[in-house]
Structures are given as C-alpha cells and as structure tokens.
Amino acid sequence: MLRMAPFTYEPARTYAEALDLWLGAEAPMYVAGGTDLLPNLKHGIVSPRTLVSLGEIAGGIAEEAGAVVIGAATKLNALATNDVVRALLPPLARAASLIAGPQIRAMGTLGGNVLLDTRCLYYNQTAFWRGALGHCLKAEGTWCHVINGPKTCVAAQSSDTVPVLLALDASLRFLGPAGPRTVAIRDLYRFNGMDHLAIEKGELLTDIVVPKPGAGFRGSYQKLRTRDSIDFPQLGVAITGTFDGPVPTTLDIVIGAANPQPKPVRGLEPFLGRPLDDTAAAAIADLVHKQTRPQAAVHGDPAWRRQMASVFTRRGLLALASGA
Ligand SMILES: Cc1cc2nc3c(=O)[nH]c(=O)nc-3n(C[C@H](O)[C@H](O)[C@H](O)COP(=O)(O)OP(=O)(O)OC[C@H]3O[C@@H](n4cnc5c(N)ncnc54)[C@H](O)[C@@H]3O)c2cc1C
Ligand code: SF4
C-alpha cells in the first residue's frame, strides 16, 4: 500500500482566501480535483506540509464580450458536456471528453489540467522504483535516463486541453502575491521538464479566457494513447482554422505530449487562401513531421509517435476541409 506523508489540509472558499492561506502556510501546495496531485503525493514525488484546497470554489462557463470565460475550477466533465463549449469551441469539448476516464473527469478540473506537472516513465513511479534506478535529474538525482545525460529534463507536458487552448489562442487569468495578471497560454510553457511553467510561487489560476471564434471556424483534436478508456496522451494534435469551403484563411496546428512544451507548428502561411486538397494536406503533414521530435519520456516508440503526428495532421486537415 502506498501511504501519503502527513500534511495539514486548509480548505478555501475563494481564490483570495486560498492565496492568504498559501502565504501563511508551511511548504504549501494548492490542490483542486487532486487527480494528479494525490498520486504524486503517494509516490513521494511532492511532499507539501500544507494542502490549500480549491475544491470548494465553484467553476463555471460564461460568455463575455468576444470570449468564453471558463473558471479554473470547472470540472472536465462539465467542460466536455457544456452546450456553449460544444457549440463554440468543439475541439476543446472533444479534448476534455478524451481525458482519462469518467471518474477522473468528474473530479479533475481545467485549471489542474493546464497546470499539470510534466510526466515521465522514469519519474512517475513509486519512491522505491525511482530509488532502485538511482533517481533522476528532475528530483534527487543527477542523470536523465531519457536523454542519457546530466543536463536536460524532457518530461512531457501531457494535458489534452493544452494543445487546443494554444490553437485557440487562449489567455489565463492569475491571482498571485503581486496581484492579478493575464498571460497568453502560448507564453506559459518552457522547454524544461523540471520547471516548465512560467508562473510565480503562490500564483493561482482563476480563469481561462478563450476568444470566440468567428464564422467559418472549424477545429479538431486527435489523441494517441494505448487504452482509450483511461490513458494519458502519447501524442495530441490540435487543429483550428477559419474556412471558406475547403479554403483556410487562418490555420493553427499544435502538437502536445511530445516535449515539456506544446509545439505550435510554424510555416503554415503558404497554405492559406487556397484549397486544402490532398497535396496541401500531405505537404503540411510533412512539415509537422519535420518539426515534431517526441522524446522517450512517454510510452511508445518516438519514431512511431512522430509518424502519427503527420498521419493525424493529414487526416484532421482533410476532415476539416471537407467540413466534417
Ligand atoms: C489514471 C489517470 C489518467 C489520467 N489521464 C489523463 C489524460 O488522459 N489526459 C490529461 O490531460 N490528464 C490526465 N490525467 C491527469 C489529471 O487527472 C488531469 O490532468 C486533471 O485535469 C488534473 O486536474 P485536478 O483538478 O485533479 O488537478 P490537481 O491534481 O488538483 O492539481 C494538479 C496541479 O495543478 C495545481 N493546481 C490545480 N489547480 C490550480 C489553480 N487553480 N491554481 C494554481 N495551481 C493549481 C496543483 O497544485 C497541482 O500542482 C490522468 C490522471 C490519472 C490519475
Ligand atoms: S526526462 Fe529525464 S530528468 Fe526528466 S523526469 Fe524523465 S528521466 Fe527524469
């Protein structure tokens, strides 16, 4: 049996109260749904002395001028089934519906998904398992077993909603010791699996703000995983665009679960303003293959995951071009 180290539990009713509790606590961490944090506690990956719980703070989804504002505390299941999200942001509802399984979607929140710790086969294990291997660079060790060197951690950002939120150009509202601030989600993630979030200590994610797409919007999210019933992504491909028939006038593709940082694909401009036919879709899929370098921190042969990034891209583009 895996036992958790003792900690003090401090429930908060508002984000301001949560911040106050965090500032006054010993070695604190926030916990929302706890679906990632509690396994990490049991594995001895994190060892807070205080857990400031956000579990009593209500989530919610509201339309504001030009945007859909989603409370960080919104449960994944509520996100996946919400009428506004399904109508205006279908790839986001789709990504949320593919996370883990029903029990985890009932507990897990969008905020926890956006701020999810990076994952690695050599790290997300019990303390005994990690110790038997001599630990690793991310904690208690000096060597990365994926890179086979002492310098870099490439544990993967493994959230399903994140590639879609980048493709939708979402921004994030935080409340921290220095006050509130808004950050573009494209600026949140760093290429460093040990420290992948560009946030200050104690900062709370309060809202995710997604611009309302205009007329002609189409989007998709495709996920590669071993067991469709529960598993984390081995790869995620989000595609969004504005279409006039088969012709895209804007196009964004973001690859997730390959690296510590989600990867927006560059060089799509030449494909705008002309029909997205087989040739164009194959050329974009080739571009994605060139720019995607999955690391072995996640299950599945990296070369196969890389190939699947281009397969998903081609399939996704042709489906969107046909209006499917
Ligand atoms: C078996 C299993 C399968 C899973 N499969 C998937 C999957 O397929 N796809 C996927 O994306 N995820 C998956 N997960 C991970 C997890 O369930 C989800 O990412 C979930 O959205 C996490 O949300 P949470 O509210 O439970 O976060 P928590 O576990 O409560 O917190 C996660 C992290 O975010 C921080 N945090 C949470 N909310 C805030 C906030 N508002 N402000 C500041 N910090 C905050 C916490 O301090 C913690 O560091 C899986 C987990 C398990 C156990
Ligand atoms: S990528 Fe390397 S350093 Fe990072 S968690 Fe995995 S083994 Fe550890």
Side-chain angles (χ1 to χ4, degrees), residues 30 32-37 100 104 109 113 159-160 205 223 231-232:
Y30 295 118
T35 59
D36 193 62
L37 190 63
I104 287 172
T109 63
N113 200 239
S159 307
D160 284 299
L205 177 58
K223 171 173 180 172
D231 280 332
F232 277 92

Side-chain angles (χ1 to χ4, degrees), residues 238-279:
I239 309 178
T240 60
T242 312
F243 285 78
D244 182 2
V247 178
T249 51
T250 69
L251 196 57
D252 280 284
I253 303 176
V254 180
I255 310 297
N259 301 117
Q261 198 178 32
K263 168 87 183 159
V265 174
R266 296 181 309 273
L268 297 174
E269 298 76 12
F271 300 96
L272 303 181
R274 61 188 182 97
L276 198 43
D277 54 15
D278 280 345
T279 311

Side-chain angles (χ1 to χ4, degrees), residues 4 29 51 100 123 138 198 200 243 288 307:
M4 286 192 253
M29 279 190 84
L51 276 191
Y123 180 75
K138 187 167 174 182
E200 302 298 326
F243 285 78
V288 167
Q307 186 63 31

Side-chain angles (χ1 to χ4, degrees), residues 120 122-123 136-138 143-147 152-155 297:
C120 175
Y122 299 93
Y123 180 75
C136 80
L137 192 59
K138 187 167 174 182
W143 196 257
C144 171
H145 307 291
V146 173
I147 295 291
T152 318
C153 169
V154 290

Side-chain angles (χ1 to χ4, degrees), residues 107-138:
M107 285 299 293
T109 63
L110 180 60
N113 200 239
V114 169
L115 300 181
L116 187 69
D117 192 10
T118 54
R119 295 187 62 80
C120 175
L121 286 170
Y122 299 93
Y123 180 75
N124 293 93
Q125 303 287 354
T126 62
F128 175 79
W129 194 105
R130 297 194 313 277
L133 194 68
H135 296 285
C136 80
L137 192 59
K138 187 167 174 182

